[in-house]
Amino acid sequence: MNAKFYLLACLAIATTSTPAWGQIADPNLGRNMAANCANCHGTNGMSVGGTAALAGQSRESLIKALTEFREGKRPATIMHQLSKGYSDEQIALIAAYLSTQKSK
């Protein structure tokens, strides 16, 4: 596993939620949730055209974009619907994972 991603995922979890006593956060959670993005944005966010590549974008810009889609502040065809299914914590995990992926 990418050490940088693991550290970012742990930081995202630690700063956005408090797990129940004895609960261990899954370091693969961000990767697993980001797999939902592959249908349109390519595997690990590496788009082959038609949609924006997400791999390598900054964590902050990804969080901002997903939050704006969820709040209806950014125009979209389907992202405004998909993003409503994610909590702030989940968005942070997805952004942490995608930001560590290398773009082409």
Side-chain angles (χ1 to χ4, degrees):
M1 173 181 287
N2 182 325
K4 183 178 175 185
F5 165 71
Y6 181 76
L7 176 61
L8 285 172
C10 289
L11 287 172
I13 291 166
T15 59
T16 58
S17 65
T18 305
W21 177 257
Q23 182 180 8
I24 298 174
D26 181 355
N28 295 315
L29 193 54
R31 179 198 67 196
N32 296 347
M33 286 188 293
N36 293 321
C37 308
N39 288 330
C40 300
H41 296 280
T43 303
N44 296 323
M46 292 179 264
S47 179
V48 293
T51 57
L54 304 177
Q57 288 191 29
S58 76
R59 180 178 178 271
E60 295 78 18
S61 68
L62 290 167
I63 289 172
K64 182 177 189 271
L66 279 167
T67 302
E68 287 176 351
F69 283 131
R70 186 177 65 188
E71 294 172 354
K73 295 179 180 177
R74 184 178 275 218
T77 54
I78 194 159
M79 280 305 303
H80 61 289
Q81 295 171 342
L82 296 173
S83 58
K84 287 181 183 179
Y86 294 108
S87 67
D88 289 341
E89 293 85 5
Q90 292 170 323
I91 287 174
L93 287 169
I94 292 167
Y97 175 75
L98 291 171
S99 68
T100 64
Q101 300 308 296
K102 295 189 189 295
S103 60
K104 292 182 179 182

